[in-house]
Amino acid sequence: MPIDLSPALPTFVITLREGVEAALVVGIVLAYLKKAEQTQLNFWVYGGIGVGLLASVLVGVLFGLIITVLGAANETYEPVVKPLLNGLFSVAAIAMLSWMLIWMTRQSRLLKAEVEGAVGSTLKAEAGAGWGAGWGIFGLIFFAVLREGFETVLFISARFQQGWVPILGAISGLLVAIGIGVLLFKFGIKINLRLFFQVMGLFLLLIVAGLVVSALAHVDVAFYRLTQINPQFSNLCFFQGSVGETCFLGPLLWDTHRLLPERQFPGIILHTLFGYEDTFYLVEAIGYLGFLAIVGGIYLQSLTGWGTAPVKVDR
């Protein structure tokens, strides 16, 4: 039986985009240290990368333990806890990824100057080299890698029911991002980073919009199951759907599960990347379009501030 790799696509896109962002920070630091003739501090850069990746993995393991422990804490409400946790992690991932998408686009023109300024200040404060400068550079790289890793972990945690396949996508995206970083800073290959981040940003915008739909669906399932277990919570289902076991999603807008099922190709690709649902409800549509209108509008406005200058590597 062939393995369904579609759940790996969103994590591949997210890790690729954020991995390239981290690779830019690492490359800029290494190039600056070479220019300042402080290459003996490169060890601290590589150490920050390794520890940052390890910390991201540990965060993922911790989230997995939290999900398992909370899910098993009360057998009666276990059917409620899992979709509710899934919804909460989805909301956290939506917030983090949206912030990253807009912030990175707005700050992209200043990234090189900000990173070089931080490294220069560290070297100057610690008389050019030594343990103090090393720890300062280590911290800069560590938090850059951890930030990107944490956002990916949040996204994977929001889809933990899909097993190990999203992790495969994250690893693949990370490897490709490392390859892009090597091409940029080791071999001096010119890549249109402006176009790259714009395309990845549009993909990410649609992926997160789909996550909004998933978050609403998970919370709806949790509320519905809660009312079935304990009828005293029946007031939570204030706006039941026209068909199916729904709680507050409202009327059914379409039902294409026979024409284009979301769990079969090509529907599964549309579902995984863009949030396509073969049963789509009014509240899900409002959430999807509302997210694209608000966050998408801010993102498109921020694109006008993107600089066109390529990353310049000092040799």
Side-chain angles (χ1 to χ4, degrees):
M1 183 177 180
I3 299 174
D4 177 20
L5 296 178
S6 57
L9 294 177
T11 51
F12 173 81
V13 171
I14 290 173
T15 310
L16 175 60
R17 189 191 187 283
E18 299 189 10
V20 169
E21 181 183 334
L24 289 179
V25 175
V26 171
I28 291 169
V29 171
L30 290 173
Y32 187 89
L33 291 176
K34 183 177 181 180
K35 181 179 180 181
E37 298 182 350
Q38 298 292 339
T39 54
Q40 75 276 8
L41 296 174
N42 287 358
F43 167 80
W44 295 92
V45 175
Y46 299 130
I49 296 172
V51 177
L53 289 174
L54 179 61
S56 298
V57 172
L58 292 176
V59 169
V61 172
L62 178 61
F63 278 179
L65 290 175
I66 291 174
I67 291 169
T68 302
V69 171
L70 291 180
N74 190 315
E75 293 184 2
T76 302
Y77 289 97
E78 182 179 0
V80 176
V81 171
K82 286 189 176 181
L84 185 60
L85 285 176
N86 214 325
L88 292 176
F89 281 131
S90 295
V91 171
I94 291 166
M96 289 290 293
L97 291 171
S98 300
W99 173 83
M100 178 274 296
L101 178 67
I102 296 171
W103 179 87
M104 179 57 189
T105 305
R106 288 180 171 178
Q107 298 298 318
S108 58
R109 294 175 299 166
L110 308 175
L111 179 64
K112 188 171 187 289
E114 289 181 350
V115 173
E116 288 185 343
V119 176
S121 299
T122 299
L123 294 177
K124 184 177 180 181
E126 301 296 337
W131 285 87
W135 280 112
I137 292 171
F138 173 89
L140 174 66
I141 298 298
F142 169 78
F143 285 110
V145 173
L146 180 61
R147 184 185 67 215
E148 313 307 334
F150 178 72
E151 290 165 351
T152 304
V153 165
L154 267 182
F155 184 83
I156 294 175
S157 298
R159 299 184 173 220
F160 67 88
Q161 81 283 358
Q162 294 178 322
W164 58 269
V165 177
I167 299 176
L168 179 63
I171 294 173
S172 301
L174 178 62
L175 292 176
V176 175
I178 292 173
I180 291 175
V182 171
L183 290 175
L184 282 172
F185 294 97
K186 185 69 175 178
F187 299 104
I189 304 297
K190 292 184 179 180
I191 297 175
N192 190 333
L193 290 173
R194 177 174 181 265
L195 179 61
F196 171 84
F197 278 112
Q198 285 181 352
V199 172
M200 289 294 102
L202 290 175
F203 268 111
L204 183 59
L205 183 67
L206 292 173
I207 288 172
V208 180
L211 199 58
V212 172
V213 176
S214 297
L216 289 170
H218 287 309
V219 175
D220 181 79
V221 168
F223 281 13
Y224 179 83
R225 290 178 179 176
L226 181 61
T227 61
Q228 298 303 300
I229 295 171
N230 194 336
Q232 71 176 0
F233 293 104
S234 58
N235 59 334
L236 292 176
C237 292
F238 56 88
F239 192 20
Q240 294 189 6
S242 54
V243 297
E245 299 175 346
T246 64
C247 194
F248 61 79
L249 295 181
L252 182 69
L253 297 184
W254 73 62
D255 184 354
T256 55
H257 75 277
R258 294 182 179 177
L259 178 65
L260 188 62
E262 65 185 54
R263 298 188 180 278
Q264 297 179 17
F265 182 85
I268 194 168
I269 301 296
L270 298 175
H271 172 74
T272 303
L273 278 178
F274 308 122
Y276 164 76
E277 300 281 343
D278 52 23
T279 53
F280 203 51
Y281 295 88
L282 177 62
V283 174
E284 292 176 328
I286 292 173
Y288 188 88
L289 295 176
F291 176 86
L292 288 180
I294 298 173
V295 177
I298 297 173
Y299 172 67
L300 292 177
Q301 287 180 351
S302 67
L303 287 179
T304 59
W306 240 101
T308 57
V311 174
K312 192 175 180 182
V313 181
D314 297 309
R315 295 184 176 277

